[in-house]
Amino acid sequence: MRPLRSAILLCCLALLCTTAFAQDSAAIQKVLDDQQSAWNRGDIDSFMYGYNNSPETTFIGKTVEHGYAGILARYKKTFSTRAAMGTLKFSDLIIKILGQNYAVVTGKFHLARTAAGGGDASGVFSLIFAREPQGWRIILDHTTS
């Protein structure tokens, strides 16, 4: 009987882990969906809710920016008009849960913009998410275009 109980316990544990990973993936997907929606409304402040509001949060692009405030300022300077922001679309997202408190997301982005807004832009990104008291938040963003 003990081996059967152990097998049942292991199956239950595996099911719980699978369910937790699915819930975490869905929560992370929602952060990205909310960011895409905020961007497409022209709302950089709401877009930034996806990032951890910390001096340690890091953005890596053509330069490296440390800190939530610096990343926000960078976005506002680079995308100072609705035309420059264009319409954002994330695609090919892969969410990998790395345990109870961390996850990695890879994907592609595309900004559809007019010529006056800077023309279309596309690239790839990798994000590290951490589970924070307010939910899943980006702690490192590496975006290339």
Side-chain angles (χ1 to χ4, degrees), residues 32 91-96 104-108 124-127:
L32 295 168
S91 64
D92 299 332
L93 297 175
I94 298 172
I95 299 170
K96 294 183 181 182
V104 172
V105 177
T106 58
K108 296 178 182 177
V124 296
F125 60 85
S126 60
L127 308 169

Side-chain angles (χ1 to χ4, degrees), residues 31-43 47 88 90:
V31 170
L32 295 168
D33 291 345
D34 289 350
Q35 280 193 305
Q36 183 175 281
S37 294
W39 188 272
N40 292 335
R41 289 191 313 271
D43 187 351
F47 172 83
L88 175 64
F90 293 135

Side-chain angles (χ1 to χ4, degrees), residues 16-133:
L16 285 173
C17 287
T18 301
T19 302
F21 283 180
Q23 289 172 344
D24 289 340
S25 292
I28 290 167
Q29 180 69 55
K30 181 170 179 358
V31 170
L32 295 168
D33 291 345
D34 289 350
Q35 280 193 305
Q36 183 175 281
S37 294
W39 188 272
N40 292 335
R41 289 191 313 271
D43 187 351
I44 291 175
D45 291 318
S46 292
F47 172 83
M48 285 295 295
Y49 291 158
Y51 290 87
N52 191 33
N53 190 345
S54 165
E56 285 83 35
T57 298
T58 302
F59 179 91
I60 303 168
K62 292 179 181 166
T63 62
V64 177
E65 186 69 50
H66 296 284
Y68 183 92
I71 296 167
L72 175 60
R74 178 200 166 280
Y75 274 120
K76 286 188 172 187
K77 180 180 177 187
T78 305
F79 302 100
S80 60
T81 66
R82 275 301 287 130
M85 289 181 77
T87 302
L88 175 64
K89 173 82 171 123
F90 293 135
S91 64
D92 299 332
L93 297 175
I94 298 172
I95 299 170
K96 294 183 181 182
I97 305 300
L98 301 178
Q100 190 174 8
N101 294 312
Y102 295 96
V104 172
V105 177
T106 58
K108 296 178 182 177
F109 76 90
H110 180 77
L111 282 179
R113 300 186 295 194
T114 64
D120 288 357
S122 297
V124 296
F125 60 85
S126 60
L127 308 169
I128 298 177
F129 276 79
R131 185 190 308 271
E132 299 294 333

Side-chain angles (χ1 to χ4, degrees), residues 2 6 11-12 33 36 57 67 69 73 103 119 122 127 137 139:
R2 279 186 178 255
S6 294
C11 286
C12 288
D33 291 345
Q36 183 175 281
T57 298
S122 297
L127 308 169
R137 294 293 183 266
I139 60 171

